[in-house]
Amino acid sequence: MPIVSHLTSVHSRYDTRIFLKECRSLSSAGFRVSLVVADGNGDEVNDDVNIFDVGVSRGRLDRMFKTTQRVFEKARALDAVIYHLHDPELIPIGLKLKRLGKTVIFDAHEDVPKQMLGKPYLNRPAKWLLSKVFEAYEAWACKRLDAVITATPFIRDKFLAINPKSIDINNFPMLGELAAGTTDWAQKENQLCYVGGIGSIRGIKEIVQAMAFVEGGARLQLGGRFAEKNVEAEVRAYAGWHAVDELGWLDREGVRAVLNRSVAGLVTLHPVINYIDALPVKMFEYMSAGVPVIASYFPLWREIVEGNQCGLCVDPMKPESIAVAIDFLINNPEKAEQMGRNGQRAVQEKYNWDIEEAKLLKFYQNWTQ
């Protein structure tokens, strides 16, 4: 099998999509897989994936210029047949690798032009200008790459107009990772959870405010790190913070333990342009663990959550609406348990990594035959 090299200057070496799913799946299928990272933790071999570290970045500018150059130099030295890029800032080195005769795939985890429009720290003209400039560059560059893999069907549809060799490999859960068999509802505690990046547009303000309205003493298990110090300071002053247990960053075992004890999982992201058509990983992870979902009432999310009867959809901008959903699931354990089972069944039947892995391997085989 040919050598495949995955490249990232941003993500951690054990990133769920990159390492746990894509790299390990390719390695198990017989590909010789390497992963180039920039985290300062050194080289290693893990699950037959050769991990090469080019050194941690010293700030954003260093990452965008010097770190990407180090990633390119290591990638060129590895002399792989296929290079799989995971960050938009690596697109320029993808073009360099193309000029060296390599096969280059870009993995679009997000719709970056839309993401730029949702940046709270940019004013409206700056958002629009940056989005349009990057959109034009992305289209120009990705036409010249061999293929594009996307994290959702909606991003795929955008790239199909740019590069006909585009496919969605969805970030669905690995079966059995976060729950083994049927969830034992007797182990549940009077708690709910939010696990993931913590920020204002991810709904943390409204979630903590909602806890002040929740009845019956339920507690919020908050797993993750705050992205904004000012937001962290603000929510700590809310009345609802007294019902929050702050857990910090959790490894996969930690996530599993929290989900096993929780009656509901929150994914009440704000209705910003890059979230409405997204498929949030945490929603499917809650479902895979048999945990009912409380989700924003976006049309796509309602189709998934209400269509599979695995949770409740709410107005993410109204803390009272979130609190009502929490109280309903806490006060109706039989209905909550059935919703959890419905979500788990939906993941087992259609929203799982086994299905996506088969698509990934078939896609790769087209480049190696």
Side-chain angles (χ1 to χ4, degrees), residues 192 203-215 218 220 238-244 266 268 294 314-327:
L192 57 144
I204 188 59
K205 293 181 182 181
E206 292 77 14
I207 289 171
V208 176
Q209 288 169 349
M211 295 307 298
F213 298 108
V214 171
E215 301 172 356
L220 170 66
Y238 290 167
W241 187 257
H242 76 278
V244 176
L266 291 161
T268 50
I294 299 174
V314 300
D315 184 340
M317 308 307 293
K318 294 182 178 178
E320 296 90 343
S321 178
I322 298 171
V324 167
I326 293 170
D327 283 332

Side-chain angles (χ1 to χ4, degrees), residues 8 10-24 35-39 41-52 174 177 249-252 285:
T8 179
V10 178
H11 295 86
S12 75
R13 64 181 57 209
Y14 303 134
D15 180 87
T16 302
R17 177 176 178 83
I18 299 172
F19 175 75
L20 292 180
K21 294 176 181 173
E22 293 181 341
C23 286
R24 293 202 310 176
L35 170 61
V36 179
V37 299
D39 61 9
N41 291 322
D43 299 347
E44 66 168 314
V45 179
N46 193 316
D47 279 347
D48 293 324
V49 177
N50 291 285
I51 302 176
F52 298 98
M174 295 178 285
E177 183 199 13
W249 180 84
L250 298 171
D251 61 17
R252 302 304 285 175
E285 291 187 339

Side-chain angles (χ1 to χ4, degrees), residues 49-300:
V49 177
N50 291 285
I51 302 176
F52 298 98
D53 177 22
V54 300
V56 69
S57 302
R58 296 180 178 85
R60 182 171 295 180
L61 288 177
D62 180 74
R63 190 190 79 199
M64 293 180 66
F65 297 103
K66 294 183 180 179
T67 302
T68 55
Q69 181 60 30
R70 295 197 301 272
V71 170
F72 172 68
E73 290 168 358
K74 173 56 72 173
R76 182 171 55 181
L78 291 171
D79 195 27
V81 175
I82 300 174
Y83 291 91
H84 191 138
L85 318 178
H86 288 277
D87 310 310
E89 63 200 45
L90 297 181
I91 291 176
I93 76 170
L95 296 174
K96 290 182 182 180
L97 292 166
K98 275 296 299 173
R99 289 195 288 271
L100 295 175
K102 304 299 184 179
T103 296
V104 180
I105 298 168
F106 175 54
D107 198 319
H109 295 202
E110 312 222 21
D111 188 331
V112 176
K114 278 189 176 181
Q115 187 185 49
M116 289 177 171
L117 292 174
K119 295 293 185 185
Y121 52 82
L122 295 174
N123 61 44
R124 186 170 302 209
K127 291 178 186 180
W128 182 88
L129 180 60
L130 284 173
S131 176
K132 290 298 181 183
V133 168
F134 185 81
E135 184 177 38
Y137 173 74
E138 180 184 64
W140 175 84
C142 288
K143 282 181 181 178
R144 289 155 174 80
L145 300 181
D146 292 282
V148 178
I149 288 176
T150 72
T152 73
F154 303 92
I155 304 175
R156 174 205 61 201
D157 290 345
K158 182 190 87 167
F159 276 101
L160 279 172
I162 297 168
N163 189 320
K165 294 178 180 175
S166 298
I167 184 175
D168 59 299
I169 304 294
N170 297 286
N171 233 357
F172 294 151
M174 295 178 285
L175 292 174
E177 183 199 13
L178 296 175
T182 304
T183 303
D184 182 1
W185 210 256
Q187 294 183 1
K188 298 294 184 181
E189 298 179 12
N190 191 22
Q191 68 178 50
L192 57 144
C193 68
Y194 173 93
V195 178
I198 304 171
S200 56
I201 64 172
R202 292 173 180 263
I204 188 59
K205 293 181 182 181
E206 292 77 14
I207 289 171
V208 176
Q209 288 169 349
M211 295 307 298
F213 298 108
V214 171
E215 301 172 356
R219 300 194 63 80
L220 170 66
Q221 306 302 296
L222 183 62
R225 295 192 179 108
F226 281 88
E228 305 143 304
K229 292 295 183 184
N230 60 321
V231 173
E232 179 179 3
E234 181 179 341
V235 300
R236 287 179 182 276
Y238 290 167
W241 187 257
H242 76 278
V244 176
D245 294 323
E246 190 177 9
L247 307 178
W249 180 84
L250 298 171
D251 61 17
R252 302 304 285 175
E253 274 302 313
V255 173
R256 178 178 178 136
V258 168
L259 294 180
N260 283 345
R261 296 192 303 270
S262 296
V263 173
L266 291 161
V267 55
T268 50
L269 309 186
H270 283 189
V272 296
I273 190 168
N274 55 308
Y275 284 159
I276 291 173
D277 292 330
L279 294 175
V281 178
K282 65 172 63 65
M283 180 163 69
F284 296 100
E285 291 187 339
Y286 296 157
M287 291 165 62
S288 74
V291 175
V293 177
I294 299 174
S296 303
Y297 63 175
F298 307 152
L300 174 62

